[in-house]
Amino acid sequence: QVQLVESGGGLVQAGGSLRLSCAASGRSFSNYGMGWFRQAPGKEREFVAAISWGGSITNYANSVKGRFTISRDNAKNMVYLQMNTLKPEDTAVYYCAAGKLPREYEYEYHYWGQGTQVTVSS
């Protein structure tokens, strides 16, 4: 079992930055690939970024490539999402998830956090 708690969301102006954090508890955190997903109002949840268990492999949605960076610290059981050059269309609830592989398929992630709201004003 892995429990995930996101933090770091908030209100930011377009062009600004935010850093989301995901604290994991439970066993064998370092064995899991980790992902970030987001869900905007009225839309389906979508993949944002993922990272392999060791951190050597990362995967990004085209919409955030070059602006967002995913990282992890296995010693601290933490995953981060650094978001730069934010746009109003990045407004969503952001979820942290744990799975086996750092891929974009939601069904491959077994554990989910409650989400943190990110709002980008224009």
Side-chain angles (χ1 to χ4, degrees):
Q1 283 276 356
V2 177
Q3 293 79 43
L4 304 171
V5 178
E6 303 94 337
S7 62
L11 174 64
V12 63
Q13 287 189 331
S17 298
L18 278 177
R19 188 197 196 201
L20 304 184
S21 298
C22 174
S25 59
R27 299 172 60 181
S28 303
F29 166 75
S30 60
N31 290 344
Y32 288 92
M34 299 296 297
W36 286 96
F37 290 77
R38 66 187 182 186
Q39 187 167 22
K43 295 187 177 181
E44 293 187 353
R45 190 155 57 185
E46 64 175 4
F47 170 75
V48 176
I51 189 166
S52 60
W53 66 270
S56 62
I57 299 171
T58 56
N59 186 12
Y60 295 94
N62 287 335
S63 59
V64 307
K65 211 171 281 185
R67 299 188 298 124
F68 290 12
T69 302
I70 187 171
S71 62
R72 68 189 295 165
D73 185 338
N74 286 343
K76 296 182 179 179
N77 281 12
M78 296 292 293
V79 179
Y80 306 99
L81 185 68
Q82 178 66 43
M83 306 186 295
N84 298 329
T85 319
L86 282 161
K87 304 175 181 179
E89 51 264 44
D90 294 318
T91 295
V93 177
Y94 283 71
Y95 297 91
C96 175
K100 288 187 177 180
L101 299 173
R103 305 203 298 188
E104 63 267 36
Y105 308 113
E106 188 174 333
Y107 63 84
E108 292 186 345
Y109 291 82
H110 309 295
Y111 304 104
W112 293 82
Q114 294 299 307
T116 185
Q117 176 71 46
V118 172
T119 303
V120 184
S121 63
S122 57

